[in-house]
């Protein structure tokens, strides 16, 4: 039973019945068989079945502690292939050329809803980039513990529009090195409002992963 709870938590769920809803599988035995498989193709097929809207809906009903435990278990930060996982290092993780310079005169980008990004969001994004580039874990933590939740999400969307795919990956890796899952779990327990941001980010990242898997399968 404990193993099933652990497996369910990987999908943001509390039990396998909820996982069945998320991956749109009606037979419990089929789900268990797929979860038990060591064949990566089967696991990829399972991930492609995920209904991320349903996953977020179920996650919203879970206690904050469940999400924190997901992060601690490593289901939040993902794995990186480098050997620079030392946290708290003051050595710069990103060089000055890794991000495009901030130009207040440039045309403001737009969010997905078509609204212009205001100066406050742009300044927040520039502060975040600077903290990441400096390897300032304490500064990044302070930003996420104090900035308005909506602003954090708009900042994330704005940076996504401004960065290339390679820059996004490098920024994600740098963030994960500074704030591993266990550290973000502590932040979530301290500021429970972060759960909304976490759920949006998890959904967005998973949507991208699923889209990549589906496009790769179609080729």
């Amino acid at each position: 039973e404990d193993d099933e709870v652990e497996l369910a938590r990987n999908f943001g769920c509390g039990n396998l019945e909820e996982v069945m809803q998320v991956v749109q599988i009606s037979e419990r035995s089929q789900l268990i068989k797929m979860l038990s498989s060591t064949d990566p193709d089967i696991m990829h097929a399972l991930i492609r079945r995920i209904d991320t809207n349903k996953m977020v809906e179920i996650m919203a009903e879970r206690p904050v502690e469940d999400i924190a435990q997901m992060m601690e278990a490593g289901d939040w930060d993902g794995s990186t292939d480098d050997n620079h996982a030392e946290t708290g290092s003051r050595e710069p993780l990103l060089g000055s050329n890794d991000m495009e310079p901030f130009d207040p005169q440039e045309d403001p980008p737009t969010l997905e809803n078509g609204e212009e990004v205001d100066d406050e969001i742009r300044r927040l994004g520039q502060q975040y980039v600077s903290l990441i580039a400096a390897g300032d874990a304490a500064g990044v933590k302070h930003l996420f513990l104090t900035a308005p939740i909506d602003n954090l999400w708009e900042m994330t969307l704005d940076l996504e529009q401004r960065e290339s795919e390679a820059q996004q990956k490098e920024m994600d890796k740098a963030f994960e090195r500074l704030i591993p899952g266990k550290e973000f779990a502590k932040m979530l327990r301290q500021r429970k409002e972060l759960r909304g941001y976490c759920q949006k980010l998890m959904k967005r990242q998973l949507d991208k992963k699923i889209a990549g898997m589906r496009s790769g399968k179609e080729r």
Side-chain angles (χ1 to χ4, degrees):
E1 185 175 346
D2 289 342
D3 289 341
E4 290 190 2
V5 170
E6 192 67 29
L7 288 171
R9 187 179 293 138
N10 294 336
F11 292 85
C13 300
N15 52 61
L16 291 186
E17 283 66 32
E18 291 178 349
V19 176
M20 289 167 62
Q21 297 179 51
V22 168
V23 298
Q24 307 170 77
I25 290 178
S26 58
E27 296 293 334
R28 180 185 173 93
S29 58
Q30 179 187 356
L31 174 63
I32 293 176
K33 183 177 180 179
M34 293 182 76
L35 288 172
S36 302
S37 175
T38 57
D39 185 342
D41 289 339
I42 292 180
M43 186 52 62
H44 289 171
L46 187 61
I47 293 174
R48 288 195 297 269
R49 296 180 66 97
I50 292 176
D51 180 341
T52 56
N53 289 318
K54 187 64 177 179
M55 182 189 74
V56 170
E57 178 185 325
I58 290 176
M59 283 181 65
E61 299 176 355
R62 305 302 306 165
V64 169
E65 181 60 25
D66 281 8
I67 301 176
Q69 289 180 17
M70 283 178 61
M71 296 175 183
E72 289 177 331
D75 301 315
W76 157 261
D77 59 352
S79 59
T80 55
D81 296 328
D82 52 61
N83 297 317
H84 307 293
E86 298 178 7
T87 60
S89 171
R90 302 297 300 180
E91 187 174 337
L93 298 172
L94 294 175
S96 59
N97 294 325
D98 289 324
M99 284 296 298
E100 296 177 5
F102 176 65
D103 182 1
Q105 300 302 321
E106 70 180 359
D107 293 334
T110 57
L111 297 177
E112 288 184 330
N113 58 9
E115 296 180 357
E116 290 186 351
V117 177
D118 62 30
D119 291 341
E120 183 178 1
I121 301 302
R122 179 54 61 82
R123 283 195 298 269
L124 185 65
Q126 183 64 13
Q127 180 185 1
Y128 173 74
V129 170
S130 297
L131 291 169
I132 292 290
D136 188 349
V140 174
K141 289 178 185 179
H142 179 75
L143 186 148
F144 273 84
L145 289 174
T146 58
I149 299 296
D150 289 344
N151 288 9
L152 287 173
W153 182 242
E154 290 182 14
M155 174 198 77
T156 299
L157 296 179
D158 180 34
L159 288 174
E160 188 175 280
Q161 293 290 324
R162 295 168 57 200
E163 296 173 347
S164 66
E165 185 176 350
Q167 288 172 329
Q168 289 179 40
K169 288 181 178 179
E170 201 58 38
M171 180 70 74
D172 289 345
K173 288 182 179 180
F175 180 86
E176 290 163 8
R177 290 193 292 264
L178 284 175
I179 314 291
K182 290 183 178 181
E183 289 301 314
F184 207 102
K186 294 178 183 177
M187 293 162 57
L188 178 59
R189 292 184 178 107
Q190 184 175 345
R191 188 185 190 188
K192 293 180 171 56
E193 294 91 341
L194 279 171
R195 72 172 296 160
Y197 174 86
C198 294
Q199 289 169 187
K200 286 181 180 179
L201 189 60
M202 288 177 181
K203 180 183 186 304
R204 193 167 184 83
Q205 291 177 339
L206 189 54
D207 280 336
K208 289 181 180 179
K209 183 173 184 178
I210 293 171
M213 287 181 173
R214 287 173 176 166
S215 62
K217 188 173 185 294
E218 290 168 358
R219 291 192 188 103

